[in-house]
Amino acid sequence: MVLWQSEQECMAKKGLRSWVKENWVDIANKRSDGSYPKCGRSGGEKRKNYPKCVPIAKARAMSKGQRAGAVRRKQAVANTGPKPSRAATFAPKRKKMGLGGLV
């Protein structure tokens, strides 16, 4: 299993067709049996939270805290227009302070 840094890097390595064919799931709305519903909604389907979609391989590789953080970032962006809003799946890495820095 390979984890990519970004969707663009994944597409560049594997190609757009394989990227589209990946099994995309909604990690914001976990089912009671522990599985995830497919990404996207049909017709007038209502879900509890706005969907956060990732490939199933990435969802399984993420920890419970990483999934919760990704969903929190997606909810914070709040979709306000006709196009879906984009939120980062992983938080940006923090820079470490050197020994000479102020604490």
Side-chain angles (χ1 to χ4, degrees):
M1 177 172 44
V2 176
L3 292 179
W4 303 99
Q5 294 297 323
S6 67
E7 281 100 22
Q8 290 84 11
E9 185 179 326
C10 177
M11 283 191 297
K13 299 278 185 186
K14 296 178 4 180
L16 181 60
R17 288 186 193 275
S18 63
W19 181 80
V20 170
K21 288 182 181 180
E22 288 179 348
N23 185 15
W24 289 79
V25 294
D26 176 13
I27 61 172
N29 294 292
K30 194 171 185 177
R31 293 183 183 145
S32 58
D33 64 353
S35 66
Y36 299 103
K38 288 224 176 262
C39 190
R41 293 181 272 192
S42 60
E45 181 183 350
K46 298 287 183 186
R47 289 192 186 167
K48 182 179 166 186
N49 296 322
Y50 191 75
K52 172 62 180 164
C53 300
V54 296
I56 189 71
K58 185 184 281 190
R60 288 181 179 150
M62 294 168 75
S63 69
K64 185 176 181 180
Q66 286 174 327
R67 285 191 302 268
V71 171
R72 253 192 323 270
R73 279 187 291 282
K74 183 69 173 191
Q75 302 301 325
V77 172
N79 187 28
T80 57
K83 292 184 180 180
S85 54
R86 164 109 177 38
T89 300
F90 295 103
K93 291 185 179 182
R94 296 180 185 167
K95 293 183 181 179
K96 294 182 181 178
M97 289 185 60
L99 295 175
L102 297 174
V103 179

